[in-house]
Amino acid sequence: MKVLSRSKSFFIVANLCRHDYNKGMIFFLVITFLFFAGSIIGWGIELIFRKFFSKNNPQHKWINPGFLTGPYIPLYGFSLVILFLLTFIDVSFINNTYLQKAVLFALMALCITIFEYIAGMIFIIGMKIKLWDYSKNWGNIRGIICPQFSFYWWILSATYYFFIHPKILEWLFWFTNHIEFSFVVGFFYGVFTIDICYSLRIMARIRHFASENQIIIHLGELQQQIHLKNEENKEKIHFWLTMKTEQLPLHENLHQILNKISK
């Protein structure tokens, strides 16, 4: 597999900027494109993982991952941007080529793990919501990060470097030469903004309940609770609107979670 060198990658990005007088705008388009692609690709990865490998889904059902409604997970969007920027780090001071790559991938995994921890803590402290739970995994820190998933980030970093990064540079060339594609990216961000506003309203209700009862709500457990209640009441199972239920309001589902915690 041919991998672009750091110097050649930098040359390509520099050429991208040279094609337009406003270099800042080109860089902005590059970052928005990467966030767009990473959020969607990450959603697909999480969808497959939760269907076939997650211990929290013993029935192996299709579950819409994340706290947003649409097919995107911002954590992966930010992670792809981080990986892209870290690719330009110079590790040439290490003589062994294989060791260079191992150190670079370890640095990528470390940075994403730190970002994952910060994002998880923001939701726990600010929203009283735990988006994911690694508390049963060895070596976890507050159930937000753990060595196992940091190792997965290491593998994903290597996969990105060898298989995705060279293609992304080609996509960026194509993107700058087909500006009409910006409509698709713009449409994504329009829907994404509406989705955030809708989801944050639901999160605010969950936060209010959690603050009153001095608990942290595990989002996956709440989604599973709503899913089971919809099945019991023979309601329509909503893949996209995971918090939607016809007979049992969100507040009642939250009380079910509270009763389970109390027991």
Side-chain angles (χ1 to χ4, degrees), residues 221-237:
E221 187 177 354
L222 176 58
Q223 290 173 331
Q224 186 179 29
Q225 172 69 28
I226 292 175
H227 186 94
L228 292 174
K229 287 297 179 181
N230 284 345
E231 285 186 335
E232 289 178 9
N233 298 330
K234 297 182 179 180
E235 295 183 29
K236 180 180 178 181
I237 305 298

Side-chain angles (χ1 to χ4, degrees), residues 17 29-30 34 39-40 56 62 66 128 140 157 163 166 170 177 187 191 199 207 213 223 239-240 247 261:
C17 294
L29 291 175
V30 167
L34 291 175
S39 297
I40 293 177
N56 296 324
W62 290 105
K128 307 297 182 184
N140 75 87
S157 297
F163 298 101
E170 295 177 9
N177 292 323
F187 179 78
V191 174
S199 299
R207 179 183 181 277
N213 295 277
Q223 290 173 331
F239 176 77
W240 300 108
Q247 298 184 24
I261 294 174

Side-chain angles (χ1 to χ4, degrees), residues 163-212:
F163 298 101
I164 301 177
H165 184 67
K167 293 297 180 182
I168 282 181
L169 296 177
E170 295 177 9
W171 296 342
L172 296 180
F173 264 128
W174 182 90
F175 180 47
T176 54
N177 292 323
H178 296 79
I179 200 65
E180 63 272 11
F181 185 68
S182 62
F183 171 80
V184 177
V185 179
F187 179 78
F188 161 81
Y189 280 100
V191 174
F192 180 72
T193 302
I194 295 173
D195 196 341
I196 286 181
C197 293
Y198 168 80
S199 299
L200 285 180
R201 289 180 60 187
I202 296 176
M203 298 298 139
R205 293 169 60 189
I206 297 175
R207 179 183 181 277
H208 179 72
F209 178 88
S211 297
E212 282 186 338

Side-chain angles (χ1 to χ4, degrees), residues 8-238:
K8 189 171 182 180
S9 298
F10 182 81
F11 175 75
I12 290 176
V13 175
N15 278 343
L16 281 173
C17 294
R18 198 174 298 152
H19 290 165
D20 195 287
Y21 291 107
N22 192 339
K23 296 181 180 180
M25 181 57 69
I26 290 295
F27 181 76
F28 173 76
L29 291 175
V30 167
I31 297 303
T32 54
F33 175 80
L34 291 175
F35 181 83
F36 155 77
S39 297
I40 293 177
I41 293 173
W43 181 87
I45 293 174
E46 284 288 334
L47 184 69
I48 298 299
F49 178 81
R50 298 196 183 197
K51 166 68 175 177
F52 298 104
F53 306 105
S54 177
K55 297 178 181 178
N56 296 324
N57 184 24
Q59 298 176 326
H60 298 290
K61 295 183 178 180
W62 290 105
I63 299 175
N64 183 14
F67 74 98
L68 296 175
T69 302
Y72 31 73
I73 298 181
L75 176 65
Y76 283 87
F78 285 114
S79 297
L80 185 58
V81 173
I82 291 172
L83 290 178
F84 175 78
L85 296 176
L86 290 177
T87 304
F88 303 116
I89 290 180
D90 188 2
V91 290
S92 58
F93 62 91
I94 302 175
N95 295 326
N96 188 291
T97 303
Y98 295 102
L99 186 57
Q100 284 181 2
K101 299 298 184 290
V103 169
L104 179 60
F105 302 154
L107 179 61
M108 289 176 168
L110 176 62
C111 289
I112 296 177
T113 298
I114 293 173
F115 179 78
E116 184 181 28
Y117 180 80
I118 294 172
M121 287 302 298
I122 287 174
F123 271 86
I124 289 176
I125 296 174
M127 302 298 293
K128 307 297 182 184
I129 297 173
K130 203 169 194 177
L131 296 181
W132 59 85
D133 188 9
Y134 301 154
S135 57
K136 295 181 180 179
N137 296 67
W138 174 84
N140 75 87
I141 300 177
R142 303 195 67 170
I144 302 175
I145 57 175
C146 68
Q148 179 184 345
F149 279 85
S150 293
F151 176 70
Y152 292 159
W153 283 123
W154 190 90
I155 294 175
L156 286 175
S157 297
T159 302
Y160 164 81
Y161 184 86
F162 288 111
F163 298 101
I164 301 177
H165 184 67
K167 293 297 180 182
I168 282 181
L169 296 177
E170 295 177 9
W171 296 342
L172 296 180
F173 264 128
W174 182 90
F175 180 47
T176 54
N177 292 323
H178 296 79
I179 200 65
E180 63 272 11
F181 185 68
S182 62
F183 171 80
V184 177
V185 179
F187 179 78
F188 161 81
Y189 280 100
V191 174
F192 180 72
T193 302
I194 295 173
D195 196 341
I196 286 181
C197 293
Y198 168 80
S199 299
L200 285 180
R201 289 180 60 187
I202 296 176
M203 298 298 139
R205 293 169 60 189
I206 297 175
R207 179 183 181 277
H208 179 72
F209 178 88
S211 297
E212 282 186 338
N213 295 277
Q214 298 182 345
I215 60 173
I216 301 296
I217 299 296
H218 182 202
L219 185 65
E221 187 177 354
L222 176 58
Q223 290 173 331
Q224 186 179 29
Q225 172 69 28
I226 292 175
H227 186 94
L228 292 174
K229 287 297 179 181
N230 284 345
E231 285 186 335
E232 289 178 9
N233 298 330
K234 297 182 179 180
E235 295 183 29
K236 180 180 178 181
I237 305 298
H238 297 274

Side-chain angles (χ1 to χ4, degrees), residues 241-259:
L241 302 174
T242 55
M243 299 292 179
K244 184 176 178 58
T245 178
E246 302 296 337
Q247 298 184 24
L248 199 62
L250 177 62
H251 192 77
E252 293 298 325
N253 281 301
L254 289 169
H255 272 293
Q256 295 284 346
I257 297 294
L258 180 61
N259 293 333

